């Protein structure tokens, strides 16, 4: 690492900062002119279930933003001995979807309803029928329309609604905008225009006409921008919000705020047709950039876009690592009980690697990792559930392999539609997120779905690095760069990036398919648990 060069870049304000609000961690990544991460900071947080709604408070958002940035500044100070006073560009990203609705004065009308909520079933079903287009329960428009169906008193007061990334960007810049990828999780996008689908907007406006609301849906939505478009600058109030110490100067340009799906595509260079990525953390989702539209409409498949507007088929599952995390915590408690203080990352590595010693079909064990509802499995609530046959091979290796398979099993259900029914071609599938931090294990589990999986050295950096790259692209475009966004990533960022690719092991694929047969047959058991196990 060239300390002096990086130090000079920081002092000259030639770095780009990306901040992403994940489900359990807010992370900041600072990149230099080579697009390499040179510093980072993070803040752990958790959603709360309040009055039946999964939410984060505004105070949690602001405190987390400031804590994360403060940690980044501390990392910069310790590594390079300098303070951050300005930056070349900033990007904000967050979990997609959800519902943050405000009145004309900017007051939040109801607590933030996150993507994790599965309380919009009637709205999602009605809108999907109205548009002949799948509207998932997570989407912002489903939340707004469900509030309409519920006759919630806040609805007539609505003046603006947005995502978490859009909210933070608004507070930093004063601009009510969204990147097209994040916007595609609010309302359907017309990929020919890169804007909201006008026909669907007209259809919904006519449908709502009898309600006599003092607003139109198109006026509530944030403006849509594409990768590389200017999205405002850091205001004095925004600088004070991000950095209460007062060191950070106003005037820094920001790129369009994006969702975690778009930053995942960016961080894996999966933004061209026939490329895709799998993001595996608290939730798990696969994004496949399409050559053409799908023949059918499927409730398991979301249609969203890349950060520059290409159509993308998205299989999104609400649950991935939360149940594994709970088991890891339990194993650490036992280790402490017998006097072993084992660092958490080592526990993950040891148990993940142990999983590869297990039987390819997990020996008769089944794991449902459903902490929350799972629309792909038609469940509005979840109950983490572990089941085994009396004569199953109940070993540690099989137990861990079962939990890893359980983390990706629901994704497999949706991917089967794309790969087998729609015959979608995927030349490259790149994995990133926490599941891939332990070398080989996450790759091998994901390859069990039957597709080669690649992992880059930056797999653990995830979306914070992705939004930093989008901020870097804004700087490049502002300096006269003419490359398209995909070309910029391929030629400037990933040209020499080391990549590890793992092909499917036939025995793993056979074993995983056998596991999936048991898993799908056992879904009624999970549904019964939801119906019969209550607080």
């Amino acid at each position: 690492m060239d300390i002096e060069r990086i130090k000079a870049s920081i002092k000259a304000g030639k770095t780009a900062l990306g901040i992403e609000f994940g489900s359990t961690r807010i992370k900041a990544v600072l990149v230099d002119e080579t697009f390499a991460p040179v510093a980072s900071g993070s803040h752990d947080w958790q959603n709360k279930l309040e009055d039946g709604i999964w939410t984060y408070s505004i105070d949690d958002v602001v405190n987390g933003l400031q804590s994360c940035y403060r940690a980044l500044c501390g990392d910069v100070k310790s590594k390079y001995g300098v303070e951050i006073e300005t930056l070349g560009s900033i990007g904000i990203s967050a979990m997609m979807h959800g519902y943050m609705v405000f009145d004309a004065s900017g007051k939040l009308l109801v607590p933030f309803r996150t993507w994790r909520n599965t309380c919009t079933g009637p709205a999602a079903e009605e809108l999907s029928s109205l548009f002949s287009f799948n509207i998932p329960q997570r989407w912002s428009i489903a939340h707004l329309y469900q509030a309409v169906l519920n006759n919630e008193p806040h609805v007539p007061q609505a003046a603006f609604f947005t995502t978490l990334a859009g909210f933070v960007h608004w507070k930093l810049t004063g601009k009510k905008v969204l990147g097209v990828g994040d916007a595609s999780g609010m309302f359907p996008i017309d990929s020919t225009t890169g804007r909201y689908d006008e026909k669907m907007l007209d259809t919904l406006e006519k449908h709502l006409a009898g309600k006599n609301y003092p607003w139109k849906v198109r006026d509530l939505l944030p403006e849509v921008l594409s990768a590389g478009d200017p999205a405002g600058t850091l205001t004095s109030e925004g600088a004070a919000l991000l950095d209460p110490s007062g060191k950070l100067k106003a005037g820094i340009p920001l790129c369009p705020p994006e969702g975690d799906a778009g930053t995942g595509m960016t961080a894996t260079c999966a933004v061209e047709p026939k490329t895709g990525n799998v993001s595996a953390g608290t939730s798990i989702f696969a994004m496949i950039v399409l050559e053409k539209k799908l023949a059918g409409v499927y409730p398991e498949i979301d249609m969203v876009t890349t950060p520059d507007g290409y159509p993308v088929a998205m299989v999104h599952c609400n649950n991935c690592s939360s149940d594994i995390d709970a088991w890891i915590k339990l194993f650490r408690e036992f280790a402490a009980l017998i006097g072993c203080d084992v660092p958490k990352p080592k526990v993950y590595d040891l148990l993940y690697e142990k999983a590869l010693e297990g039987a390819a079909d997990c020996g008769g064990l089944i794991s449902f990792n459903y902490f929350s509802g799972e629309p792909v499995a038609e469940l509005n609530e979840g109950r983490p559930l572990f089941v085994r046959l009396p004569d199953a091979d109940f070993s540690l290796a099989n137990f861990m392999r079962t939990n890893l398979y359980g983390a990706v099993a629901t994704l497999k259900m949706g991917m089967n539609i794309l790969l087998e029914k729609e015959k979608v071609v995927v030349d490259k599938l790149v994995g990133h997120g926490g599941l891939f931090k332990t070398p080989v294990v996450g790759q091998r589990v994901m390859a069990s779905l039957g597709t080669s999986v690649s992992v880059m050295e930056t797999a653990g950096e995830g979306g914070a690095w992705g939004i930093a790259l989008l901020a870097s692209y804004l700087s490049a475009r502002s300096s006269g760069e003419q490359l398209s966004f995909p070309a910029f990533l391929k030629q400037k960022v990933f040209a020499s990036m080391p990549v590890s690719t793992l092909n499917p092991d036939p025995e793993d694929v056979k074993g995983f398919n056998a596991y999936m047969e048991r898993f799908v047959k056992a879904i009624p058991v999970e549904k019964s648990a939801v119906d019969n196990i209550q607080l």
Side-chain angles (χ1 to χ4, degrees), residues 220-232:
L220 300 183
L221 288 160
E223 179 186 355
V224 181
L225 300 175
S226 187
D229 289 342

Side-chain angles (χ1 to χ4, degrees), residues 20 25 27 29-32 34-38 263-270 277-280 428 430-438 443 454-469 489 493-500:
E20 180 159 281
R25 184 174 62 155
K27 185 173 181 180
V29 170
L30 191 70
V31 302
D32 64 6
T34 70
F35 314 111
V38 296
T263 59
M265 286 185 271
T266 301
T268 54
C269 197
N277 78 89
V278 175
S279 175
K428 183 182 77 169
V430 183
H432 69 112
L435 188 69
F436 298 98
K437 282 187 177 181
T438 301
Q443 256 182 295
S454 299
V455 173
M456 300 175 179
E457 286 186 347
T458 52
E461 296 294 348
W465 184 58
I467 191 64
L469 294 181
L489 292 179
V493 181
F494 292 95
S496 59
M497 181 75 69
V499 177
S500 168

Side-chain angles (χ1 to χ4, degrees), residues 82-296:
V82 295
E83 306 273 7
I84 298 177
E85 296 184 0
T86 188
L87 297 155
S89 54
I90 300 173
I92 300 296
S93 175
M95 302 163 280
M96 285 179 70
H97 318 116
Y99 185 62
M100 298 190 81
V101 61
F102 304 86
D103 66 13
S105 69
K107 177 186 175 184
L108 185 69
L109 292 173
V110 293
F112 171 32
R113 297 170 183 177
T114 78
W115 60 270
R116 199 169 195 174
N117 291 288
T118 51
C119 56
T120 62
E125 184 176 352
E126 189 171 326
L127 289 174
S128 296
S129 176
L130 188 67
F131 296 153
S132 296
F133 183 98
N134 181 39
I135 302 295
Q137 291 198 47
R138 303 180 308 280
W139 281 29
S140 306
I141 192 62
H143 281 277
L144 174 65
Y145 191 61
Q146 189 64 52
V148 168
L149 295 179
N150 294 345
N151 292 311
E152 296 187 36
H154 77 271
V155 175
Q157 304 171 54
F160 172 57
F161 76 125
T162 190
T163 64
L164 178 55
F167 167 72
V168 175
H169 183 95
W170 174 34
K171 291 302 161 186
L172 295 180
T173 66
K175 300 291 185 181
K176 298 176 180 178
V177 300
L178 268 191
V180 62
D182 204 11
S184 69
M186 288 197 72
F187 194 91
I189 294 291
D190 180 348
S191 290
T192 63
T193 65
R195 299 293 181 263
Y196 301 115
D197 190 296
E198 287 293 332
K199 290 183 179 179
M200 293 186 193
L201 279 172
D202 288 342
T203 299
L204 185 56
E205 301 292 10
K206 290 177 184 176
H207 190 68
L208 290 173
K211 298 287 186 179
N212 295 316
Y213 290 127
W215 46 257
K216 293 186 179 300
V217 174
R218 54 174 36 92
D219 297 327
L220 300 183
L221 288 160
E223 179 186 355
V224 181
L225 300 175
S226 187
D229 289 342
T233 58
L234 188 67
T235 62
S236 298
E237 295 81 3
L241 181 70
L242 181 58
D243 181 20
S245 74
K247 296 184 180 71
L248 188 64
K249 298 174 182 177
I252 300 167
L254 273 79
C255 70
E258 264 298 347
D260 50 358
T263 59
M265 286 185 271
T266 301
T268 54
C269 197
V271 294
E272 290 186 298
K274 297 197 289 186
T275 66
N277 78 89
V278 175
S279 175
T282 303
S283 64
I284 185 169
F285 51 86
M287 314 285 298
I288 310 298
V289 187
L290 301 176
E291 296 179 276
K292 59 182 180 179
K293 288 185 178 180
L294 299 179

